[in-house]
Amino acid sequence: MPPYSAHQSFIAPAVPTAALWRVIVGFLAASAIYLLLNNLLFTLVFNVTGPQDSSFFDDLLSGKTPAAMFLLLGSFALMTLGVTIVARVLHQRSFASLIGPLGLAVAQFSAVVRLLVVVSVVIFLLPPWDLGDPLVPNLEVGTWVLLLPFSLLAVFVQVSAEEIVFRGYVQQQLAARFKMPLVWMVLPSFLFALGHYMPNELGENALIIALWAGVFGMLMADLTARAGSLGPAIAVHFCNNVAAIVIMSMPDDLSGLALYLTPFSMADTEAVRAWLPVDFALMFITWLAARLAIRR
């Protein structure tokens, strides 16, 4: 069986409206809807909270508290809403068609998460990982445990939105128009990487971190094409972001839900760069594990 045979059924709903102009207009429209609704949401929040000092809004926008993180991660539901509106209006497609067969997606998501939990435990136990200095405690354990179900749900909302947009909508529509994987794997991954290129926040490492995101996107595109649903890609993205947001975050931004903080920040260019090869290796390990879990 060809490795991407399942991809044909996954992209089938996109075939009737596969004109290139539609995906270009659709992506721009979905982005505009998301940005507009996101701006309205945060304007409403700022109006409700009333006058505050600048540090309050800085902490809110950088995710330094649990409440801020729930707001930031939850706002990704607006991204899902934007692409759902575009799929319905511009392509006469349902939201479910962006995910693939729901039963299959759920089963594959569960299988991949179970295996990645085992892989993560093995990786944690076997080598003597060393970040240079001890991890810095962030949330109290009791508070972290109490928030954990809501934290996992918030991360799921965030990663699902990104996968639905890039591996769902954009990949489906491009694959329905172009048969070459070079198009439907690389272009959505480039857009995904572009969204992670943040030179102001990431400094000298901005380009290599964007490259990491681009490679991650292509691996998720491969998983999606093999699986015939977004289940495995959402699972890998979910486990990756739980590790980076809920378990061990960097102290710069998005640290409000983390149990621990790393002993270095994004400003420590060399320390971050030294850890990136390990991060790349872990990305490939999780991709291979996900492929094993779905046996494709």
Side-chain angles (χ1 to χ4, degrees), residues 135-139 141 144 246-250 258-262:
L135 293 174
V136 179
N138 188 38
L139 290 179
V141 174
W144 183 81
V246 179
I247 297 176
M248 182 179 65
S249 177
M250 301 191 76
L259 181 60
Y260 292 105
L261 301 178
T262 61

Side-chain angles (χ1 to χ4, degrees), residues 187-232:
L187 186 54
S189 301
F190 172 77
L191 294 173
F192 186 68
L194 195 61
H196 288 76
Y197 180 66
M198 298 176 286
N200 292 335
E201 294 85 353
L202 304 178
E204 295 179 19
N205 289 321
L207 189 58
I208 192 170
I209 291 175
L211 175 63
W212 183 98
V215 174
F216 180 84
M218 285 191 285
L219 296 182
M220 294 309 99
D222 170 81
L223 269 185
T224 301
R226 291 174 182 275
S229 87
L230 291 184

Side-chain angles (χ1 to χ4, degrees), residues 256-270:
L257 296 175
L259 181 60
Y260 292 105
L261 301 178
T262 61
F264 53 83
S265 69
M266 277 294 179
D268 300 317
T269 304
E270 294 304 320

Side-chain angles (χ1 to χ4, degrees), residues 27-183:
F27 181 77
L28 293 176
S31 300
I33 293 170
Y34 166 61
L35 292 174
L36 174 62
L37 293 178
N38 200 55
N39 184 62
L40 290 174
L41 172 65
F42 280 89
T43 299
L44 176 63
V45 170
F46 293 155
N47 288 336
V48 169
T49 55
Q52 302 283 348
D53 59 45
S54 60
S55 63
F56 170 84
F57 294 115
D58 289 343
D59 289 346
L60 177 62
L61 294 175
S62 59
K64 294 291 181 64
T65 66
M69 283 299 294
F70 287 136
L71 178 63
L72 290 171
L73 295 173
S75 68
F76 277 80
L78 302 176
M79 180 182 290
T80 301
L81 177 59
V83 78
T84 300
I85 292 171
V86 165
R88 173 61 68 183
V89 174
L90 192 61
H91 301 276
Q92 295 79 54
R93 296 177 51 191
S94 67
F95 167 75
S97 71
L98 298 168
I99 299 172
L102 186 58
L104 177 65
V106 171
Q108 291 175 330
F109 175 88
S110 300
V112 173
V113 167
R114 288 197 300 269
L115 184 55
L116 290 185
V117 168
V118 173
V119 170
S120 298
V121 171
V122 170
I123 290 174
F124 177 78
L125 292 177
L126 287 182
W129 296 115
D130 183 8
L131 293 175
D133 293 311
L135 293 174
V136 179
N138 188 38
L139 290 179
E140 293 183 0
V141 174
T143 301
W144 183 81
V145 171
L146 185 64
L147 294 176
L148 184 58
F150 306 101
S151 300
L152 295 178
L153 178 60
V155 172
F156 182 80
V157 169
Q158 181 249 323
V159 301
S160 297
E162 292 188 343
E163 292 304 320
I164 288 168
V165 170
F166 292 100
R167 259 65 69 181
Y169 177 68
V170 179
Q171 179 170 328
Q172 279 185 332
Q173 290 299 144
L174 287 176
R177 175 65 179 81
F178 301 98
K179 301 305 180 185
M180 295 180 296
L182 188 65
V183 176

